[in-house]
Amino acid sequence: MNTVRPLFLALSALLSLALITLPAQAETLGMVNRMAGSPSPYLRLHQDDPVLWQAWEDATLELARENDRLIFVSVGYFSCHWCHVMQRESFKNEDIAARINAGFVPVKVDRELDAALDTRLMNFVQVTRGFGGWPLNVVLSPDGYPLVGIVYMPPDEFDGFMERVHAHWMSDKDNLREITRQAALELAQLERARQAPVQGINVDELLDRFINASRGLADKMSGGFGNQSKFPQAAQLLALLEARQLRDEPWLDEFLTVTLDTMASQGLRDHLGGGFYRYTEDPGWQVPHFEKMLYDNALLAEVYLRAAKVFGREDYRQVALDTVHFMIDGMATGRGDYVASLSAVDDQDVEGGYYLWSPEEVRGIIGDEAWRVVQPAWGFDTTPILEHGHLPIVARNAAQVAEGLGMEQDRVEALLEQARSQLMEARASRVLPVDDKVVVAWNGLTLLALAAAAPHDRRVAEAGAALHARMISAMWRDGSLPRALDAAGAPVGEGELEDYAFVASGLADWADYTGDEAVWAQAARVAERAWQLFHNDDGWRPSRQPVLPGAPRLVHLEDTPLPSTSASLKRTTDRILGQVGHPALRERAAQAPSSLTRNLVETPFVHASQILYLHGLEGVDSGPSGTN
């Protein structure tokens, strides 16, 4: 019997149980808030919360087991807007904090440092709730089995929810403990069943299924996928850019160009300073959530370089180079590597405040002549759709503005560039918080982007050389990778599969660009260690050890906002073995099954990278995008 959905239905009854008030002086188990001094800027934001936050570690889990207390795990990240809102509304609230401290062992997690745990908890919430997001809040049994999860809730709802969860646990511990164990087992069995081999289908059919799934989700008017919030979904865009080489799909070129044009010209992109925001709230790409993630920008630089080659579009190449230059100017640490993200909220706690302008402010900075041009070009001649001001977009190109104003196009372009420079100078006085930890996996993707762009730009090539040197000296130590480096450059945590997979990929692309056999050998060592740590005959595990009880190994890992780590490592391994002899790596890679599995058939859209790897398309253009 599938108990996972019935489990959710049973737990949803928590919302209607009568309240049981906790004793005012309930035992807090000697806990203190342990977020001060954390290497994570996000966790340090919570050091003054009255919630007695603990770290996700063995000692914390043992504390919960010894005292038979529920674990409340709250996962977020530095640049997450709603994470800040929930902190302000609930985790700073003395009464709510007292309830959490009295009934739970509270744990705060930076999803970027514990990516495998975040993925596992998100999977539980998506299966039981039907949706997910951050902040991600999950209650676990003392044994570590997920009990119930939620995303953002307003404070009154959240307070009642937590009290009901505790009440239900106190009145029915044995039954809930057994239900959660059985549900975890059932969820693992379902996941393994979806990894079972299938017969009667080949990779050509899988590719067709992926293309058809993409067509079904495609917004052909505005570009992108779906009809609500819009995310770049770089893995799928890269896959479609490759797939068009083997399929005559008249809709595909138009869809890709509409998507790329709109992402580049509208609210997803910072038109003054460069770089892309994480996503937009609306299907028309107008209203961004303003966090800038390193991985999004690295991946989108690759997407636009690939598209420039496919479509012969110089403007796409320029978008890619602008994006890489933004990363170098706005996210470099000065040590060769790159910070994780830039916050969605400014130092005044205004979402997007760093990027928004009033017409009066802009006119006062740039003067009347430039204002005549900027107003129609950047959309200042319309009512702002954001509360705190205008976000510059490409409302009209220079030719259209010149025609409308009766000016020479060269003059319009000069005035726009002058205005951009002046506004950037003014914006430099604003303060934008930075998550200054260095995520190893995302720096691997950054090296890949720099390798792709290096043939076009000497400065980018120099930045790639600096990142490569930093990766070898500070990240790859004694045959292993950390998860991150802190602001001082010290290693933080154990590397996960994505760290090894994307560092190996970045090194392989840098080796391809430089022609340096020593770098190919470095890539081989990282890849071989990844196979050793994360793969066996049962499949892949995203971390060295299971993050929660019962988590199964999987044959194929799906695309998330990042490309599939298993597909990426397999592709990189093939490239390495085509360049250097490495018997141990070859032996390990030969043991990986290449079977077609049920999940590839049922959900091809989120397995785009794996399907293309199996099809062999990734070998068509296996080097950095800008070098072929």
Side-chain angles (χ1 to χ4, degrees):
M1 175 183 174
N2 181 348
T3 60
V4 176
R5 193 65 182 175
L7 168 70
F8 168 60
L9 295 175
L11 294 177
S12 66
L14 295 169
L15 300 176
S16 60
L17 289 175
L19 297 183
I20 299 177
T21 303
L22 296 173
Q25 299 299 322
E27 175 61 50
T28 59
L29 309 182
M31 294 183 296
V32 296
N33 186 312
R34 297 181 54 209
M35 296 296 100
S38 169
S40 161
Y42 171 69
L43 297 185
R44 293 199 301 273
L45 289 174
H46 289 269
Q47 65 185 354
D48 296 322
D49 293 357
V51 177
L52 302 178
W53 295 116
Q54 306 298 294
W56 178 260
E57 60 186 15
D58 290 343
T60 301
L61 305 183
E62 185 60 29
L63 179 69
R65 284 192 294 268
E66 287 179 351
N67 293 276
D68 202 29
R69 183 172 285 198
L70 292 172
I71 306 166
F72 171 63
V73 182
S74 180
V75 185
Y77 59 104
F78 183 85
S79 56
C80 167
H81 171 70
W82 287 104
C83 298
H84 292 282
V85 173
M86 193 161 186
Q87 178 190 26
R88 182 173 62 248
E89 293 179 345
S90 294
F91 300 144
K92 294 288 189 184
N93 183 297
E94 296 282 353
D95 293 334
I96 294 176
R99 186 181 315 287
I100 294 172
N101 297 336
F104 302 83
V105 174
V107 177
K108 205 67 176 97
V109 171
D110 183 335
R111 78 173 181 98
E112 296 166 0
L113 289 181
D114 288 287
L117 174 64
D118 172 65
T119 298
R120 195 70 198 155
L121 294 176
M122 183 66 75
N123 183 49
F124 170 79
V125 172
Q126 288 174 332
V127 167
T128 55
R129 288 281 185 183
F131 59 90
W134 296 277
L136 180 67
N137 302 292
V138 182
V139 178
L140 309 179
S141 75
D143 300 315
Y145 293 96
L147 177 66
V148 64
I150 59 169
V151 291
Y152 167 80
M153 273 187 175
D156 290 345
E157 291 180 31
F158 175 65
D159 192 30
F161 172 81
M162 293 298 285
E163 188 161 9
R164 290 176 174 88
V165 170
H166 181 265
H168 201 32
W169 174 254
M170 296 302 292
S171 66
D172 200 15
K173 285 185 180 182
D174 292 341
N175 185 43
L176 283 180
R177 203 187 306 270
E178 181 60 25
I179 288 175
T180 56
R181 286 180 179 273
Q182 289 300 317
L185 176 63
E186 180 69 20
L187 182 58
Q189 290 173 338
L190 288 173
E191 289 177 294
R192 289 298 298 175
R194 295 188 66 243
Q195 303 277 323
V198 293
Q199 305 297 324
I201 190 168
N202 59 43
V203 289
D204 271 333
E205 293 173 86
L206 278 182
L207 181 60
D208 289 337
R209 285 174 180 260
F210 163 64
I211 293 172
N212 289 335
S214 300
R215 181 165 48 197
L217 292 169
D219 180 345
K220 298 179 181 63
M221 295 296 294
S222 299
F225 301 100
N227 55 13
Q228 297 180 354
S229 299
K230 286 289 180 65
F231 291 81
Q233 298 190 272
Q236 283 73 23
L237 294 178
L238 286 167
L240 289 173
L241 285 167
E242 297 289 350
R244 66 177 294 284
Q245 298 180 63
L246 293 188
R247 292 292 186 272
D248 181 17
E249 296 284 345
W251 68 276
L252 190 49
D253 281 6
E254 182 178 358
F255 166 72
L256 285 169
T257 53
V258 166
T259 298
L260 295 167
D261 290 348
T262 309
M263 289 198 309
S265 66
Q266 300 303 300
L268 188 71
R269 185 170 172 230
D270 177 3
H271 296 279
L272 297 183
F276 289 88
Y277 308 113
R278 194 166 74 90
Y279 71 102
T280 64
E281 296 180 27
D282 65 306
W285 304 96
Q286 298 301 304
V287 183
H289 263 309
F290 286 91
E291 58 262 45
K292 286 182 177 178
M293 313 302 295
L294 181 64
Y295 64 80
D296 278 328
N297 284 281
L299 288 168
L300 287 172
E302 182 185 10
V303 166
Y304 278 91
L305 282 172
R306 292 263 184 111
K309 177 185 174 185
V310 166
F311 296 113
R313 292 272 299 264
E314 172 60 24
D315 56 332
Y316 288 168
R317 187 179 75 91
Q318 193 57 54
V319 169
L321 293 178
D322 287 348
T323 303
V324 172
H325 287 152
F326 152 72
M327 295 162 65
I328 295 171
D329 293 332
M331 303 191 80
T333 66
R335 299 183 301 264
D337 47 20
Y338 294 78
V339 300
S341 65
L342 308 181
S343 179
V345 298
D346 66 9
D347 62 328
Q348 304 302 310
D349 204 31
V350 175
E351 185 180 13
Y354 184 79
Y355 302 102
L356 300 176
W357 305 86
S358 70
E360 296 78 16
E361 184 180 16
V362 172
R363 189 171 188 173
I365 293 169
I366 67 175
D368 289 344
E369 184 185 13
W371 174 246
R372 284 187 65 220
V373 170
V374 162
Q375 197 175 6
W378 293 350
F380 279 86
D381 56 351
T382 61
T383 302
I385 58 178
L386 294 162
E387 178 183 357
H388 298 286
H390 281 272
L391 176 68
I393 62 171
V394 180
R396 298 170 185 85
N397 62 36
Q400 292 169 325
V401 173
E403 182 179 359
L405 296 178
M407 297 175 64
E408 293 292 329
Q409 183 173 330
D410 288 349
R411 181 58 180 162
V412 169
E413 292 172 347
L415 288 170
L416 289 175
E417 179 53 33
Q418 171 190 309
R420 191 197 70 81
S421 178
Q422 291 171 320
L423 292 180
M424 282 297 293
E425 184 177 351
R427 202 170 83 173
S429 65
R430 300 177 178 181
V431 178
L432 184 65
V434 177
D435 186 336
D436 57 10
K437 68 178 182 292
V438 172
V439 179
V440 170
W442 304 355
N443 275 261
L445 292 172
T446 300
L447 184 58
L448 188 154
L450 295 174
H456 305 284
D457 190 297
R458 181 180 179 85
R459 183 173 177 232
V460 174
E462 292 171 351
L467 177 54
H468 168 251
R470 180 70 172 166
M471 196 168 280
I472 297 305
S473 65
M475 299 179 193
W476 179 247
R477 293 178 172 179
D478 300 322
S480 64
L481 291 168
R483 175 60 188 163
L485 304 178
D486 67 15
V492 177
E494 287 186 341
E496 299 184 355
L497 172 58
E498 65 180 41
D499 298 295
Y500 287 80
F502 296 140
V503 165
S505 181
L507 288 171
D509 277 16
W510 190 249
D512 195 52
Y513 164 66
T514 61
D516 190 336
E517 292 186 8
V519 184
W520 280 115
Q522 293 164 355
R525 287 192 288 273
V526 175
E528 199 275 332
R529 185 66 168 150
W531 285 93
Q532 179 186 7
L533 292 174
F534 303 105
H535 185 268
N536 67 16
D537 292 342
D538 292 327
W540 297 96
R541 179 181 285 152
S543 56
R544 292 195 187 193
Q545 301 297 326
V547 290
L548 293 175
R553 289 181 179 269
L554 302 175
V555 177
H556 302 305
L557 300 178
E558 64 184 41
D559 297 314
T560 63
L562 305 179
S564 163
T565 48
S566 58
S568 177
L569 185 60
K570 290 176 182 178
R571 175 174 58 89
T572 300
T573 298
D574 289 348
R575 293 178 58 204
I576 292 169
L577 293 175
Q579 296 290 329
V580 298
H582 198 296
L585 179 58
R586 188 176 300 279
E587 181 179 354
R588 289 190 180 278
Q591 296 170 0
S594 58
S595 56
L596 307 187
T597 54
R598 181 178 149 197
N599 61 333
L600 302 183
V601 176
E602 294 179 348
T603 53
F605 185 76
V606 297
H607 290 92
S609 299
Q610 185 63 52
I611 290 170
L612 284 176
Y613 171 75
L614 291 172
H615 197 281
L617 275 177
E618 303 230 339
V620 172
D621 187 7
S622 59
S625 307
T627 62
N628 292 294

